[in-house]
Amino acid sequence: MEEGELPWLLVNEVGGIRGILHSHVPFLKKHFHLITMKEFLENRKDVGKMVQAIYLWWHKPVIDKELLQSLPNLKVIANSGVGMDHLDLKLIASFGVKMANAPRAVSSTTADTGMALLLASARRLVEVHNISISPSMDYCEADILGVKVAGATLGIIGMGRIGYKIAVRAKAFEMNILYHNRTRRKVHEEQAVGATYCKKIDSLLQQADFVMLVVSLTPQTHKLIGKRELELMKPTATLINISRGAVVDQEALVAALQTGVIRAAALDVTSPEPLPRDHALLKLKNVIITPHLGIKTDKATYMITEEAVENILAALNGLPLPSEVLPS
């Protein structure tokens, strides 16, 4: 690459379901020469030598050994979110390529999504909305009652950056807060939000009126919530998942919802996404499902791209990456 020439950045596509947003393109073009996967595949040999960075948007393009081998000058891959479970981090590192995610950009918006799902489920908003717009609507039945949020106990599983921001929001709703995490938060952090640490996840499950999952998907958290864990929860409890669909055993969840083991579920993530149109979860009234909305606001998505650019430029200039992710 000649001096003054912009570094080449590979993206899946512009627009569409898995492409970077059109509104982000001018900002990206200030810093990079953009190449789409279609353009790359049409001239793999020549273009591959030029690409120094990849920006993943909704897990695309797929990073595999074949792609890495065809990009000899690749220095960094920036992910448009926090979760890295779709990437083989050790494989990527073996090619000398650095990796970064975007934790700063997503935390507040994802926490908002978690609280929105909690409130919507507690007050049965989707169900009563459908009643309200029904052609046969005359009045709302007196027994369509929600659950009071103030004074209820929220159990947060995963008290990282997002989990803590959920606790901040829950405190404002006058909720009692329990949390389970690999490492305990500092005492002053707990006191700031009124959170109580549960060393054992079982203790949290048994006490909480709402259980919110905010963990990364790892081999240790795969199907973290299964039949046993659901049966530990109160029959009046609600499960909220804003992490990854595979953190929950969905067959066990369906059975628990159908038989009254728990009251309800609110899910921003499923496995797979989207679910097959005949999946049992789609037929239950006590479930709210959203299409992985977590970060989807105009400001948050733009901040993600800004954070990705910051990490890519740091890597290309030999500087520490602000949000580097290392293989475990």
Side-chain angles (χ1 to χ4, degrees):
M1 187 174 68
E2 296 180 4
E3 186 177 351
E5 184 181 348
L6 293 175
W8 287 37
L9 175 67
L10 179 64
V11 299
N12 190 53
E13 60 180 337
V14 176
I17 297 174
R18 301 287 185 178
I20 60 171
L21 301 180
H22 285 284
S23 58
H24 297 190
V25 170
F27 173 67
L28 287 168
K29 283 188 172 181
K30 288 181 181 179
H31 302 281
F32 308 107
H33 177 78
L34 292 186
I35 289 292
T36 65
M37 276 298 291
K38 182 176 182 293
E39 292 168 329
F40 163 70
L41 294 173
E42 290 172 348
N43 190 9
R44 182 189 297 257
K45 185 176 181 181
D46 293 331
V47 172
K49 296 176 184 177
M50 302 298 295
V51 173
Q52 291 183 283
I54 300 175
Y55 181 27
L56 298 181
W57 191 261
W58 288 103
H59 301 182
K60 299 292 183 180
V62 173
I63 306 298
D64 55 21
K65 187 175 182 180
E66 181 184 0
L67 179 62
L68 292 167
Q69 288 175 332
S70 64
L71 303 174
N73 295 309
L74 182 66
K75 301 291 189 298
V76 59
I77 296 172
N79 186 48
S80 62
V82 176
M84 305 288 275
D85 48 278
H86 56 292
L87 294 171
D88 186 335
L89 302 184
K90 290 182 179 178
L91 172 67
I92 294 169
S94 72
F95 282 81
V97 176
K98 294 182 179 294
M99 295 157 285
N101 60 2
R104 301 196 308 273
V106 307
S107 54
S108 291
T109 307
T110 306
D112 289 345
T113 298
M115 286 304 297
L117 286 171
L118 186 156
L119 294 167
S121 181
R123 300 307 302 270
R124 300 169 67 173
L125 293 186
V126 174
E127 187 178 351
V128 296
H129 166 76
N130 290 332
I131 292 171
S132 297
I133 64 173
S134 170
S136 59
M137 170 65 177
D138 185 19
Y139 62 92
C140 189
E141 297 177 19
D143 64 349
I144 298 184
L145 301 176
V147 175
K148 186 179 179 182
V149 171
T153 297
L154 170 61
I156 302 171
I157 299 177
M159 193 69 145
R161 191 188 298 257
I162 296 171
Y164 193 79
K165 292 201 171 190
I166 289 166
V168 171
R169 287 153 175 74
K171 182 186 179 185
F173 279 91
E174 301 175 12
M175 301 186 78
N176 302 310
I177 302 166
L178 307 175
Y179 78 96
H180 172 76
N181 202 46
R182 285 178 300 177
T183 55
R184 184 172 181 175
R185 283 272 183 171
K186 295 177 181 178
V187 173
H188 71 87
E189 293 174 331
E190 292 179 342
Q191 291 175 344
V193 294
T196 300
Y197 178 63
C198 293
K199 186 174 182 180
K200 301 288 186 181
I201 193 173
D202 290 6
S203 175
L204 180 150
L205 294 171
Q206 290 167 334
Q207 298 178 69
D209 299 302
F210 298 90
V211 174
M212 194 173 302
L213 303 175
V214 204
V215 296
S216 299
L217 177 59
T218 66
Q220 292 72 36
T221 61
H222 183 261
K223 293 190 176 180
L224 177 69
I225 302 298
K227 182 175 184 291
R228 187 190 78 85
E229 290 74 24
L230 290 163
E231 290 177 349
L232 287 174
M233 294 171 62
K234 297 178 181 180
T236 54
T238 298
L239 180 69
I240 303 151
N241 189 6
I242 59 170
S243 56
R244 287 290 186 268
V247 171
V248 176
D249 182 336
Q250 287 184 166
E251 290 185 10
L253 177 60
V254 168
L257 291 164
Q258 289 174 331
T259 58
V261 171
I262 64 172
R263 170 187 167 271
L267 314 171
D268 189 43
V269 288
T270 58
S271 182
E273 293 177 2
L275 289 171
R277 295 298 87 187
D278 60 349
H279 196 281
L281 279 173
L282 302 181
K283 299 176 172 66
L284 298 175
K285 285 187 176 181
N286 54 345
V287 179
I288 295 174
I289 299 178
T290 51
H292 208 143
L293 290 178
I295 62 168
K296 290 185 178 177
T297 68
D298 52 354
K299 289 185 179 180
T301 53
Y302 198 84
M303 287 172 62
I304 286 169
T305 294
E306 288 179 323
E307 191 166 355
V309 168
E310 182 182 3
N311 280 290
I312 292 169
L313 293 178
L316 298 184
N317 288 295
L319 301 173
L321 278 65
S323 307
E324 184 172 5
V325 177
L326 300 172
S328 55

